[in-house]
Amino acid sequence: MDTLKAFSRHPSGMLGLVILIVVVALAVLAPWLYPEDPWEMIGRPFAPPFSEGFLLGTDTLGRDVAAGIVHGTRVSLTIGVASTLAAVCIGVLVGAMAGYWGGGIDDVLMRVTELFQTIPGFILAILMVATLGPSIVNVIIAIATVSWPPLARLTRAEFLRLRGREFVQAATCQGERPLQVVLGHILPNAVSPIIVTGSLTIASAILIESALSFMGLGDPNLMSWGFMVGAARTVIRQAWWMSVFPGVAILLTVLAINLVGEGLNDTLNPRNARAGRH
Amino acid sequence: MTHLASGLQGHRVVAVALGILGWAAKFVAVVLVISTMSFLLVRAAPGDPAQVMAGQTGAADEKMLAQIRQEYGLDQPFILQLATHLKRVVTLDLGQSYRQRQPVTTLIGERLPATLLLTGTAFLLALASGILLGTLAALRAGRWSDTLLTVVSLILYAMPVFWLGLMMVLVFSVQLGLVPAFGFQTIGVEMGPFGRALDIGHHLILPAISLAAVYLAIYTRLMRSSVIEVAQQDYIKTARAKGLAQGRIIARHILRNAILPVVTVAGMQAGALVGGAVVVETVFAWPGLGRLTYEAVLQRDYPVLLGLFLVMSVIVILLNLATDVLYRFIDPRVTTQAAG
């Protein structure tokens, strides 16, 4: 409750939350707002915004840009959230093992994590989607594969910090099994920084997804923002609206998630609030 | 005194040697792991690996497939295939592009200079302007220009790189006609070497700024908080108490220490910078590795994609090394030790 109250007094966090609520509402209401298939060519090609009943105009094939954006919201949010959840699972697992056991296991796991941080992640994602095939599941797997290292490092640091604390030692001395200690005592105390980093991971996942679709590696059955910009790029001289609006949608969504993430950081970890805000 | 100095010197030589060894080990490990990952990925792809390597659009006939099978030893046991693959990587043989009928190393070699020019320029641009703007923001902390800088960096940080590039094309070349929108140089015009360099520089402006923008935002915010933090340290108070001039304190004591975290982060983000180059080169038809990646993706040219993955990872490691060296060069503690 206190956290909610503190968050509601965080102006930029609240601004982000409001934008995010609108975006989520668009995603949920898409089938009612634009019941027709966003791939359907329902108008004259190259109709500018506010003409012929199209709020944001039509694209090169006469598809409604606004319908594409609204349906694209679902793709971006789904992929952003799903790939982040997967990345959190991998990151927390790796980080928890490294931080709890330490020693040789920690060394090996951290070398692997560093390696994944060295590799240019976007190129690995391109390679994975290109070889495994551009389906939504493969896109999620690829983004999760390149997104987990920061979460692993964070979880490891939290586990190292908490492992030596009295309440954890007390639980161990009382004969609780390692898994009980981890799930019952360490993890609950490490949750808030993981939530903060996780929320920022959603934002970067949406950016990676849009870049993949821009490169032609999105799911070919789903209308996405990156695909719309990619398809409109060759006609930017004649039809600015086709690339401007989907980009604004990406910008606003990512900005909103980043603002909420920073707001959460300031309210959940008041002590690191200053350090977190570069 | 001389004994102490030579002792320190010996210590330093050992430290440098260890550093080089550690770096070389990391280099070898990354190359081996990436080659293994590439190998496993192609095997994980649906369908016949020979078919996959040849490209999916049915360009391969039986004769070519047999050739690929033989070349990659696809009829041998799995572990032998991996060994063959790694041996080829070590001897700098990245295979053939069956789509373009050229060795992958040739294709990559032709495109490498353009990418190095683009990423190098963007990296230096982001680092230099980030350090400058961040310092200015810190000196004016709390004023409106500081707030403006924070807002701008938040927005830049949320912007897809490809979209920023397109918007800059829209404004600066379609609307204002200031700079060329696409390509590397003006084609079909005779120019001297100096004129050619200027022409390429002119084409480089928009791609380099698009690629640098996000990192510029990150480094600015980081430098700002770092300067503010360092300025509160005791040794800065000591310098003030000693009566050193304000400009000298800022230049010699604050900046030198405040830059360090920025350099560290810049090194960590080298991978993202190279990844961003793929998108930027696609937007601006910049004839580098990124554009080659895009073409290879469209044609599903796997030998080229796998080679690109390896080469770009090597570029990232080299950028990491460069920032490491830069760090040692700047860090006052390291220099003091060397002078001792």
Side-chain angles (χ1 to χ4, degrees):
Chain A
M1 255 356 255
D2 283 348
T3 313
L4 275 180
K5 224 184 228 168
F7 190 86
S8 68
R9 279 193 234 106
H10 194 283
S12 59
M14 282 307 282
L15 175 68
L17 189 62
V18 170
I19 304 176
L20 195 58
I21 288 171
V22 174
V23 174
V24 172
L26 283 180
V28 172
L29 299 175
W32 289 278
L33 288 171
Y34 290 95
E36 67 276 19
D37 186 349
W39 294 97
E40 196 139 352
M41 304 163 205
I42 53 168
R44 180 175 66 83
F46 288 92
F50 298 113
S51 68
E52 301 170 32
F54 295 110
L55 184 63
L56 304 178
T58 61
D59 72 0
T60 51
L61 296 173
R63 298 178 290 218
D64 188 351
V65 172
I69 289 180
V70 169
H71 283 266
T73 312
R74 307 187 125 202
V75 177
S76 286
L77 290 184
T78 310
I79 293 180
V81 171
S83 56
T84 299
L85 284 179
V88 166
C89 289
I90 305 171
V92 167
L93 195 67
V94 171
M97 290 197 293
Y100 186 78
W101 280 316
I105 295 174
D106 181 26
D107 276 348
V108 171
L109 289 177
M110 279 305 107
R111 288 300 92 75
V112 173
T113 311
E114 272 170 27
L115 203 103
F116 268 87
Q117 279 191 310
T118 306
I119 292 172
F122 182 57
I123 297 158
L124 177 58
I126 289 177
L127 193 59
M128 287 181 74
V129 177
T131 27
L132 303 177
S135 70
I136 188 166
V137 174
N138 288 341
V139 170
I140 291 170
I141 293 174
I143 298 178
T145 307
V146 301
S147 304
W148 63 267
L151 287 153
R153 295 182 83 113
L154 175 80
T155 308
R156 172 179 175 269
E158 287 296 305
F159 269 59
L160 280 179
R161 184 175 66 86
L162 294 166
R163 191 177 61 174
R165 298 278 281 272
E166 287 87 354
F167 66 91
V168 176
Q169 287 173 341
T172 314
C173 291
Q174 281 165 7
E176 289 193 33
R177 279 194 225 108
L179 195 64
Q180 275 177 313
V181 176
V182 168
L183 294 179
H185 301 280
I186 304 184
L187 200 54
N189 285 294
V191 157
S192 39
I194 294 173
I195 290 179
V196 170
T197 308
S199 65
L200 300 174
T201 309
I202 298 179
S204 75
I206 290 178
L207 285 176
I208 300 176
E209 186 279 327
S210 72
L212 284 173
S213 328
F214 173 79
M215 302 276 294
L217 287 170
D219 192 320
N221 303 311
L222 298 169
M223 182 63 87
S224 73
W225 296 336
F227 166 79
M228 294 174 77
V229 179
R233 127 183 115 87
T234 46
V235 293
I236 191 161
R237 281 167 200 279
Q238 301 89 339
W240 55 270
W241 59 92
M242 295 177 201
S243 32
V244 168
F245 294 126
V248 170
I250 304 171
L251 171 64
L252 283 179
T253 308
V254 173
L255 183 64
I257 296 172
N258 281 339
L259 289 176
V260 170
E262 277 200 30
L264 283 176
N265 188 34
D266 292 353
T267 47
L268 286 176
N269 315 324
R271 266 164 303 160
N272 337 335
R274 267 198 41 224
R277 219 195 288 175
H278 300 308
Chain B
M1 194 62 195
T2 42
H3 180 70
L4 184 66
S6 70
L8 276 172
Q9 207 116 58
H11 186 72
R12 198 168 129 73
V13 170
V14 172
V16 169
L18 278 179
I20 293 173
L21 261 181
W23 182 80
K26 189 181 165 192
F27 184 87
V28 172
V30 171
V31 168
L32 286 182
V33 170
I34 284 171
S35 311
T36 310
M37 274 166 83
S38 311
F39 174 82
L40 294 177
L41 254 178
V42 172
R43 296 306 179 283
D48 175 9
Q51 197 77 266
V52 171
M53 292 305 276
Q56 282 171 345
T57 29
D61 50 22
E62 261 314 308
K63 202 176 136 215
M64 189 195 242
L65 289 181
Q67 186 204 332
I68 295 173
R69 281 199 192 95
Q70 206 233 327
E71 214 164 300
Y72 285 83
L74 292 180
D75 41 4
Q76 290 172 338
F78 185 78
I79 199 79
L80 265 181
Q81 287 182 34
L82 178 60
T84 316
H85 176 75
L86 293 181
K87 207 166 90 192
R88 291 162 58 112
V89 170
V90 171
T91 54
L92 291 180
D93 175 8
L94 297 178
Q96 287 278 327
S97 161
Y98 298 101
R99 313 272 314 164
Q100 310 223 30
R101 297 181 187 280
Q102 277 196 54
V104 172
T105 36
T106 312
L107 286 169
I108 291 180
E110 281 168 2
R111 305 290 192 99
L112 190 60
T115 291
L116 291 181
L117 178 64
L118 174 64
T119 43
T121 311
F123 188 67
L124 291 179
L125 181 69
L127 204 54
S129 352
I131 288 169
L132 187 71
L133 287 175
T135 310
L136 288 178
L139 295 178
R140 307 174 163 267
R143 293 199 222 168
W144 68 266
S145 48
D146 177 37
T147 316
L148 181 75
L149 215 53
T150 307
V151 173
V152 170
S153 29
L154 267 174
I155 292 176
L156 280 179
Y157 196 57
M159 222 178 248
V161 177
F162 58 89
W163 188 71
L164 173 64
L166 280 173
M167 292 306 104
M168 297 220 302
V169 167
L170 200 57
V171 174
F172 296 106
S173 70
V174 177
Q175 294 294 321
L176 301 174
L178 288 176
V179 276
F182 304 106
F184 182 72
Q185 52 189 332
T186 316
I187 294 168
V189 183
E190 278 298 314
M191 280 183 228
F194 185 68
R196 185 53 80 194
L198 263 185
D199 182 50
I200 293 175
H202 201 204
H203 281 82
L204 180 63
I205 296 175
L206 285 191
I209 294 178
S210 315
L211 184 54
V214 184
Y215 305 98
L216 176 58
I218 298 173
Y219 303 155
T220 302
R221 290 188 84 184
L222 196 59
M223 186 66 190
R224 175 185 173 276
S225 60
S226 180
V227 168
I228 290 175
E229 202 181 308
V230 172
Q232 290 163 351
Q233 299 290 320
D234 285 339
Y235 58 83
I236 302 299
K237 288 182 192 146
T238 310
R240 285 227 165 81
K242 268 170 34 183
L244 289 184
Q246 176 77 358
R248 198 179 155 85
I249 294 177
I250 292 174
R252 300 255 340 227
H253 296 271
I254 299 185
L255 287 191
R256 201 158 174 194
N257 287 291
I259 283 172
L260 293 174
V262 182
V263 172
T264 306
V265 170
M268 281 165 55
Q269 276 169 340
L273 184 84
V274 173
V278 174
V279 188
V280 169
E281 290 184 10
T282 306
V283 170
F284 291 98
W286 188 259
L289 299 182
R291 179 79 195 167
L292 185 63
T293 310
Y294 181 66
E295 292 159 8
V297 164
L298 286 186
Q299 303 179 326
R300 296 291 190 269
D301 193 341
Y302 291 104
V304 174
L305 276 179
L306 298 177
L308 282 165
F309 181 41
L310 183 68
V311 170
M312 291 200 201
S313 305
V314 169
I315 296 180
V316 173
I317 307 176
L318 293 178
L319 279 173
N320 278 336
L321 178 70
T323 46
D324 261 13
V325 172
L326 190 64
Y327 191 101
R328 276 152 203 273
F329 196 66
I330 299 172
D331 191 347
R333 283 164 297 179
V334 176
T335 328
T336 316
Q337 198 184 36

